[in-house]
Amino acid sequence: MTDNSHYRHTGSINQSKYASMRWLYLVLGGLFFGLGLVGVLLPVMPTAPFVLLAAACWARGSERFYLWLINHKYMGQYIRDWEERRAVPRRAKWLACIMMTLSGTLLFFTVPDAQLWVAWTVALVCFCVGIYLWRLPDA
């Protein structure tokens, strides 16, 4: 078992008072964490949103898993930065914008002309996400 004493959680862990909801949050957290791990391997799928969703679910469903995640060697700092200051590292902002630009550009070349509106919709969403990201403070 890992020692969670090196990070002192300052916020409150809002565990559900209902056992069935705790189980649901535990399962959803596991699903989101698994999707985040898939996102590490696949460049098309994002990692950070799924890991943040896993942390949010586990904060309501399992104190043990939540503390493991926020104390994780690689992901813990990102989650703590987000929870405490809604901050994203500058490197992650650049990487996200580059990946969204590449994916959106490739979409314009692969979508049939009749469905070009899909590519424009994705481009608009990616543009809005980019603006949102750059408005957040740097971690």
Side-chain angles (χ1 to χ4, degrees), residues 77-78 81-82 85 87-90 93 136-139:
Q77 186 62 46
Y78 297 113
D81 286 340
W82 177 257
R85 299 177 295 151
V88 178
R90 186 174 295 252
K93 291 178 186 181
L136 294 172
D138 289 340

Side-chain angles (χ1 to χ4, degrees), residues 8-127:
R8 201 168 36 123
H9 183 65
T10 56
S12 63
I13 298 175
N14 295 329
Q15 284 203 329
S16 177
K17 58 184 172 182
Y18 303 107
S20 58
M21 290 304 294
R22 283 195 304 272
W23 276 104
L24 177 65
Y25 284 127
L26 181 67
V27 169
L28 285 174
L31 175 72
F32 290 137
F33 185 74
L35 288 172
L37 290 179
V38 170
V40 169
L41 303 173
L42 298 177
V44 197
M45 197 163 161
T47 300
F50 289 117
V51 172
L52 290 173
L53 280 170
C57 287
W58 284 342
R60 289 165 183 77
S62 171
E63 181 177 5
R64 181 175 147 201
F65 281 122
Y66 174 73
L67 289 175
W68 171 79
L69 191 57
I70 65 170
N71 290 305
H72 192 271
K73 182 178 179 180
Y74 299 108
M75 293 176 274
Q77 186 62 46
Y78 297 113
I79 296 167
R80 290 191 303 267
D81 286 340
W82 177 257
E83 287 182 348
E84 293 167 2
R85 299 177 295 151
R86 295 293 188 248
V88 178
R90 186 174 295 252
R91 181 176 182 267
K93 291 178 186 181
W94 277 109
L95 187 60
C97 288
I98 289 169
M99 293 305 291
M100 286 188 295
T101 302
L102 288 174
S103 299
T105 303
L106 287 174
L107 196 59
F108 276 101
F109 292 109
T110 58
V111 170
D113 288 339
Q115 295 177 338
L116 205 54
W117 65 272
V118 173
W120 282 108
T121 304
V122 169
L124 178 64
V125 169
C126 288
F127 181 73

